[in-house]
Amino acid sequence: MIQCKRVYDDASHDDGYRILVDRLWPRGVRKADLACDEWCKMLSPSTELRKAFHGEMIDFDSFSEAYRQELAQHEDEGRRIAAKQRVTLLYGAKNTGQNHALVLADWLRHLKIS
């Protein structure tokens, strides 16, 4: 099971392995206060792609497609995470309906675990 949650939401026992998937540390959150097991910058969008999306130079569909292409370079890391029984991807974005964590979660769900 892979789910997404904002870093500002309370941690839960149901979260399982909690991974921060933002390239930048979220504003207003002290490192000591965030309950996370790992900070995986490798699976976050590149700086260029993140800036293009947040600067509204590309739409969410274009962002998602380009991000999946970036993720294809990190399949081994993705498989490592996807093999865990329960994973919560933590992100700081305000938009809970269109963000990189949702794209990442979908990509992880569709990886073949060997």
Side-chain angles (χ1 to χ4, degrees), residues 7 18-22 25-26 34 36 38-40 90-91:
V7 294
R18 293 171 51 95
I19 304 172
L20 177 62
V21 293
D22 284 349
W25 192 264
L34 182 61
C36 76
E38 179 180 348
W39 183 10
C40 189
L90 302 172
Y91 65 94

Side-chain angles (χ1 to χ4, degrees), residues 16-57:
Y17 194 77
R18 293 171 51 95
I19 304 172
L20 177 62
V21 293
D22 284 349
R23 186 165 299 271
L24 304 174
W25 192 264
R27 289 185 179 155
V29 177
R30 291 181 25 193
K31 290 184 180 181
D33 293 341
L34 182 61
C36 76
D37 298 296
E38 179 180 348
W39 183 10
C40 189
K41 297 179 199 178
M42 179 187 309
L43 294 180
S44 65
S46 65
T47 300
E48 298 78 19
L49 185 56
R50 179 180 52 82
K51 286 182 177 181
F53 179 57
H54 291 295
E56 297 181 359
M57 291 179 265

Side-chain angles (χ1 to χ4, degrees), residues 24-106:
L24 304 174
W25 192 264
R27 289 185 179 155
V29 177
R30 291 181 25 193
K31 290 184 180 181
D33 293 341
L34 182 61
C36 76
D37 298 296
E38 179 180 348
W39 183 10
C40 189
K41 297 179 199 178
M42 179 187 309
L43 294 180
S44 65
S46 65
T47 300
E48 298 78 19
L49 185 56
R50 179 180 52 82
K51 286 182 177 181
F53 179 57
H54 291 295
E56 297 181 359
M57 291 179 265
I58 59 173
D59 63 10
F60 186 68
D61 290 336
S62 299
F63 167 80
S64 298
E65 183 179 328
Y67 182 33
R68 286 176 185 278
Q69 290 173 2
E70 289 183 355
L71 288 170
Q73 300 172 29
H74 302 289
E75 283 191 11
D76 289 343
E77 183 67 11
R79 283 188 185 94
R80 179 187 68 81
I81 291 169
K84 298 187 180 299
Q85 189 169 23
R86 185 178 300 253
V87 174
T88 298
L89 304 177
L90 302 172
Y91 65 94
K94 290 180 183 178
N95 187 336
T96 59
Q98 291 186 333
N99 62 65
H100 73 284
L102 298 174
V103 177
L104 176 57
D106 185 61

